[in-house]
Amino acid sequence: MAALRYAGLDDTDSEDELPPGWEERTTKDGWVYYANHTEEKTQWEHPKTGKRKRVAGDLPYGWEQETDGNGQVFFVDHINKRTTYLDPRLAFTVDDNPTKPTTRQRYDGNTTAMEILQGRDFTGKVVIVTGANSGIGFETAKSFALHGAHVILACRNMARASEAVSRILEEWHKAKVEAMTLDLALLRSVQHFAEAFKAKNVPLHVLVCNAAAFALPWSLTKDGLETTFQVNHLGHFYLAQLLQDVLCRSAPARVVVVSSESHRFTDINDSSGKLDFGRLSPSKNEYWAMLAYNRSKLCNILFSNELHRRLSPRGVTSNAVHPGNMMYSSLHRNWWVYTLLFTLARPFTKSMVSEWLLAPWASSMCL
């Protein structure tokens, strides 16, 4: 430590943080080197750790690598219309000769979906995201689209869905995005959506079951089922069943079911331990909005687990994910009390761009 202190290398909290006067750069072929501006010299090894590194993956979508008149590499961000000498992949370097796996968590609550998909090329992949006109559904759809995927925004409100498509195209005019009508509260609409998608004769690599209703007053759908149960679970269950043949033909493929930690605070069995169908679609006298939501999220978990058991041998995996505590979104809009509670909690929640949804599975996705 004395030697480090004398050299001025102990004044940073992280071992990867560079000392004052040092700069991290990359070569044209992706190797990282370090420039010491004080002594006007460069070296391959990190001045504190002694490790050699290289950048991982391809450049993010919209970026290009150029070389200036002095032979130095610089980078052009066509989306944000800026130029920098800092390689955008430097946040995702890997050791040249890794010795052991790191225990440091790669993603946390502040990680964005764009960071999670960093360096991944989804060109040629087809993704469906339900409820993608706002909130985490929109951020997920946008992130996939900006990384080359053909993304279908499956939404009930086509005006809002078309606006969401336009917002994505404003960020990247080459994005392949489109909107299709899907009303999960109407099983006939789910069937029509599946038929319209199959008519395109394209594969399906990712199905994100994201749309949900929260704190709805009691009502029945035209199919005669309680609305929260049908929108949050049964509609997605039916959609996955109708598209499972396409998913299997497109393998490797994946289904992501957005659930919630609130699934722990309910039960769908009766006192004898048998499934109580009356709890899934209760009458008005037995209805409580929060309990209905919790039960629908429990159904999401059970469905995702069983879907994975059945389809994983055919190359289709299924994951259920939890967004984090009190994710601030538009789910609360149905009752002013929930709106007030969510507003008070907002400073302590993740933002929409701090996207949790892709983290558990995209980083290891074999697509």
Side-chain angles (χ1 to χ4, degrees), residues 27 31 37 82 128 164 167 197 239 242 257-258 278 295 315:
T27 65
W31 291 100
H37 295 293
R82 61 191 180 101
I128 293 176
R167 288 165 59 193
F197 176 78
L239 177 64
L242 293 174
V257 183
V258 182
R295 286 170 176 166

Side-chain angles (χ1 to χ4, degrees), residues 166-363:
S166 299
R167 288 165 59 193
I168 295 174
L169 290 174
E170 286 176 1
E171 292 204 32
W172 184 241
H173 68 282
K174 293 183 180 179
K176 300 177 69 174
V177 287
E178 61 177 304
M180 292 180 62
T181 302
L182 172 64
D183 185 354
L184 294 165
L186 186 62
L187 295 181
R188 180 177 297 178
S189 174
V190 178
Q191 182 179 6
H192 288 169
F193 173 88
E195 292 172 349
F197 176 78
K198 290 181 177 180
K200 294 178 176 292
N201 293 317
V202 296
L204 176 58
H205 301 98
V206 184
L207 171 61
V208 182
C209 299
N210 163 76
F214 177 78
L216 290 179
W218 183 87
S219 65
L220 295 179
T221 67
K222 292 183 179 180
D223 300 300
L225 297 164
E226 191 275 313
T227 304
T228 300
F229 170 67
Q230 180 165 333
V231 170
N232 293 5
H233 169 65
L234 192 62
H236 284 127
F237 174 89
Y238 188 37
L239 177 64
Q241 296 304 302
L242 293 174
L243 296 178
Q244 74 171 23
D245 56 336
V246 185
L247 286 163
C248 291
R249 289 198 304 268
S250 310
R254 186 161 301 213
V255 178
V256 180
V257 183
V258 182
S259 183
S260 170
E261 193 71 22
S262 64
H263 80 276
R264 300 181 184 276
F265 308 112
T266 188
D267 196 359
I268 55 176
N269 293 333
D270 59 22
S271 57
S272 64
K274 295 182 180 180
L275 178 63
D276 185 352
F277 288 98
R279 297 190 181 191
L280 299 182
S281 184
S283 64
K284 186 174 183 179
N285 293 334
E286 298 177 330
Y287 178 78
W288 181 33
M290 191 67 213
L291 194 56
Y293 178 81
N294 293 353
R295 286 170 176 166
S296 71
K297 297 291 102 178
L298 176 57
C299 289
N300 288 160
I301 299 285
L302 299 174
F303 162 58
S304 177
N305 289 348
E306 180 62 17
L307 186 68
H308 181 80
R309 187 186 70 82
R310 296 189 182 194
L311 297 188
S312 57
R314 302 174 64 184
V316 180
T317 55
S318 179
N319 294 83
V321 295
H322 165 55
N325 294 328
M326 293 295 288
M327 169 64 77
Y328 188 86
S329 71
S330 58
L331 281 177
H332 57 82
R333 62 181 177 270
N334 297 294
W335 191 25
W336 70 268
V337 174
Y338 285 113
T339 299
L340 176 61
L341 291 175
F342 273 63
T343 301
L344 293 175
R346 185 174 187 177
F348 309 101
T349 64
K350 302 175 187 177
S351 68
M352 289 298 103
V353 295
S354 294
E355 184 56 80
W356 51 273
L357 182 56
L358 302 168
W361 53 275
S363 61

